[in-house]
């Protein structure tokens, strides 16, 4: 019966439409469409929304990312700056006459052979690393080959310059950059970046960035992820020569946010110089007027003693930290924190372990009633997810901040203005524990609600997956862009 009724309805509709065509052959298409809609039974279907998990996640981010009420107006950034020469690592090593052997890490590179072994070691893991090259002449020869290599590209380099460049993309921000700025770097910098005359020098500092793609092969070696290996013979940044210029410029510039980076460059210095310079760094930070937050951006390190000194001396003097999974693990190993017996991450860093280490940093070295420390915020980033951890009562708009940092990771790696869902993939763990050192919660990921929030003893955690670029155009400076974007959307409470 129902089948017969459906056929009768269809026949009646066909007859009605046929009559309309016969009587009014000139009727415009819009009128016919209107007539047809009025005959259709049931409500009109809504246009389809984004159906892929990546599309739903990107749409949820866009809804969450709002500018804070109180915004930064003037940001001062220092003190490492250079020119990055970016090229294929495998092609450069082949051009230098090197062939793939066994990988081996070297905390300092002394020769071409050390370079080849260290590059293979990290390419095999798909991990980022940065090393100092001790031999000036050999480095100069390699740098010349790299700089003139077909397809080599020159970019703004150094964490401070990259963070400054990212901030300068916002025309309503004034940005001061202090660092060793040579002619090529000055030419590459955004017009919105002000460089004090004392920071200008006649020769650029070059850093060589050897990139490799996910699945790229060299001999028996196959990279599990796209990443890069960085090395330099950089004495200006190594001695943090621009630190005093930076601090003396702050009084006139009057920033409401200070970003400091480049401490890792001191690894090429003697122990005595490191110790002396670190004390000067802490003194310089303490000279910055109270109420101005200071963010410290960490980078790849191998010297445990230097890292431990930074944790104990510098962390209490800064307000905020930015770091990745390699730096986080090295930090906990150097300062005997949680999970410090772990030799390396096994694939994607475990969320519960990362959370435990972030909690420990803020509990042991962050602000509390019993400790004179300014540290209240850590922005952690790894390839497939980010976590922002804050001591309660000091920061606002952190949901937007962590989402903005993750969004920029996808757009910058793919070199797109907005997230292109066909070029990114959701690779974060589908479920995880929020802690392993206490009874954590089990979280199941939902792309419609991509920010997961949890709390532990006065510390709040904000987790979001990253939409990972499938075929990244450029991986260098992603961490700096993530930290800058996270800070741009952050609001500090006025009692700082």
């Amino acid at each position: 019966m129902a089948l017969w009724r459906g056929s009768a309805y269809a026949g009646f509709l066909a007859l009605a439409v046929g009559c309309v065509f016969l009587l009014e052959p000139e009727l415009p298409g819009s009128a016919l469409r209107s007539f047809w809609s009025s005959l259709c039974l049931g409500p009109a279907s809504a246009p389809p929304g984004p159906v892929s998990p990546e599309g739903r996640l990107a749409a949820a981010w866009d809804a969450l990312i709002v500018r804070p009420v109180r915004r930064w107006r003037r940001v001062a950034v220092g003190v490492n700056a250079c020119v990055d020469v970016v090229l294929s690592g495998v092609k450069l090593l082949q051009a230098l006459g090197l062939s793939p052997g066994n990988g081996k890490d070297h905390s300092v590179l002394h020769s071409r052979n050390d370079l080849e072994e260290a590059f293979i070691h990290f390419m095999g893991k798909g991990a980022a690393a940065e090393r100092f090259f001790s031999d000036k002449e050999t480095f100069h020869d390699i740098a010349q080959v790299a700089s003139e290599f077909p397809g080599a590209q020159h970019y703004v380099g150094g964490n401070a310059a990259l963070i400054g460049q990212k901030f300068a993309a916002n025309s309503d921000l004034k940005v001061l950059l202090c660092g060793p700025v040579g002619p090529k770097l000055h030419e590459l910098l955004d017009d919105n970046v002000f460089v004090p005359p004392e920071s200008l020098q006649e020769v650029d500092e070059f850093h060589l960035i050897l990139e490799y793609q996910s699945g790229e092969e060299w001999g028996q070696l196959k990279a599990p992820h796209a990443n890069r290996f960085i090395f330099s013979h950089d004495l200006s940044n190594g001695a943090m020569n621009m630190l005093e210029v930076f601090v003396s410029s702050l009084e006139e510039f009057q920033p409401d946010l200070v970003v400091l980076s480049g401490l890792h460059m001191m690894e090429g210095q003697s122990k005595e110089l490191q110790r002396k310079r670190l004390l000067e760094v802490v003194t310089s930070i303490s000279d910055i007027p109270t109420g101005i937050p200071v963010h410290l951006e960490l980078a790849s390190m191998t010297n445990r003693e230097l890292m431990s000194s930074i944790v104990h001396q510098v962390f209490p003097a800064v307000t905020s930290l930015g770091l990745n999974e390699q730096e986080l693990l090295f930090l906990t190993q150097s300062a005997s924190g949680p999970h410090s017996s772990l030799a390396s991450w096994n694939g994607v860093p475990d969320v519960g372990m990362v959370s435990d280490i972030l909690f420990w940093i803020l509990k042991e070295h962050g602000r509390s009633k019993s400790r004179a420390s300014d540290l209240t915020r850590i922005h952690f980033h790894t390839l497939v997810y980010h976590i922002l951890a804050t001591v309660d009562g000091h920061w606002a708009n952190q949901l937007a901040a962590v989402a903005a940092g993750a969004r920029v990771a996808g757009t910058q790696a793919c070199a797109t203005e907005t997230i292109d869902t066909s070029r990114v993939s959701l690779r974060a763990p589908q479920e995880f524990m929020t802690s392993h050192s206490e009874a954590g919660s089990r979280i199941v990921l939902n792309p419609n609600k991509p920010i997961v929030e949890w709390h532990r003893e006065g510390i709040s955690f904000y987790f979001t997956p990253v939409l990972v670029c499938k075929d990244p155009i450029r991986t260098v400076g992603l961490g700096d862009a993530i930290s800058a974007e996270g800070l741009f959307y952050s609001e500090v409470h006025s009692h700082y």
Side-chain angles (χ1 to χ4, degrees), residues 160-202:
L162 285 161
I163 289 170
Q165 191 83 331
K166 188 68 187 170
F167 274 123
N170 303 286
S171 56
D172 54 345
L173 270 183
K174 287 186 167 53
V175 180
L176 171 83
L177 171 65
C178 287
V181 177
K184 181 66 178 176
L185 178 56
H186 208 196
E187 174 196 319
L188 291 168
L189 285 170
D190 192 290
D191 292 341
N192 204 22
V193 176
F194 172 68
V195 180
E198 302 89 338
S199 273
L200 298 172
Q201 58 182 43
E202 291 179 11

Side-chain angles (χ1 to χ4, degrees), residues 322-342:
L323 77 177
N324 70 13
E325 76 283 0
Q326 301 293 331
E327 294 137 23
L328 186 78
L329 184 59
F330 187 67
L331 188 161
T332 196
Q333 290 167 346
S334 303
S336 304
H339 311 296
S340 55
S341 60
L342 192 67

Side-chain angles (χ1 to χ4, degrees), residues 142-272:
I142 296 171
Q144 197 161 358
V145 172
S147 199
E148 294 167 2
F149 196 83
Q153 294 169 301
H154 295 77
Y155 293 102
V156 170
N159 309 84
L162 285 161
I163 289 170
Q165 191 83 331
K166 188 68 187 170
F167 274 123
N170 303 286
S171 56
D172 54 345
L173 270 183
K174 287 186 167 53
V175 180
L176 171 83
L177 171 65
C178 287
V181 177
K184 181 66 178 176
L185 178 56
H186 208 196
E187 174 196 319
L188 291 168
L189 285 170
D190 192 290
D191 292 341
N192 204 22
V193 176
F194 172 68
V195 180
E198 302 89 338
S199 273
L200 298 172
Q201 58 182 43
E202 291 179 11
V203 181
D204 283 286
E205 297 285 358
F206 287 98
H207 287 206
L208 304 188
I209 318 287
L210 309 190
E211 292 197 322
Y212 50 85
Q213 301 307 311
S214 178
E216 185 173 353
E217 297 181 25
W218 191 30
Q220 300 298 306
L221 189 67
K222 186 173 182 179
H225 309 293
N227 226 315
R228 75 276 174 189
F229 181 83
I230 306 174
F231 67 106
S232 67
H233 177 83
D234 184 341
L235 298 177
S236 292
N237 286 307
M240 295 188 75
N241 285 345
M242 293 297 165
L243 181 65
E244 284 73 22
V245 170
F246 183 45
V247 176
S248 64
S249 303
L250 298 181
E251 195 173 342
E252 187 184 339
F253 185 70
Q254 297 278 300
D256 41 25
L257 172 65
V258 170
V259 180
L260 178 67
S261 63
L263 297 183
H264 63 290
M265 296 298 297
M266 290 197 290
E267 288 200 318
Q269 307 296 317
S270 67
K271 271 189 185 180
E272 189 50 46

Side-chain angles (χ1 to χ4, degrees), residues 475-493:
T475 59
V476 176
L478 270 189
D480 303 306
I482 290 160
S483 286
E485 198 79 347
L487 284 167
F488 181 72
Y489 282 92
S490 289
E491 181 180 345
V492 70
H493 289 317

Side-chain angles (χ1 to χ4, degrees), residues 88-100 149 216-219:
S88 158
V90 171
K91 285 178 182 172
L92 174 66
L93 296 186
Q94 287 173 331
L96 294 171
L98 298 167
S99 53
F149 196 83
E216 185 173 353
E217 297 181 25
W218 191 30

Side-chain angles (χ1 to χ4, degrees), residues 55-74:
R56 300 203 309 276
L57 198 150
W61 274 345
D62 289 343
L64 284 167
I65 298 172
V66 291
R67 291 282 298 273
V69 177
R70 287 175 66 247
R71 303 173 186 180
W72 317 113
R73 293 166 297 107
R74 305 170 78 82

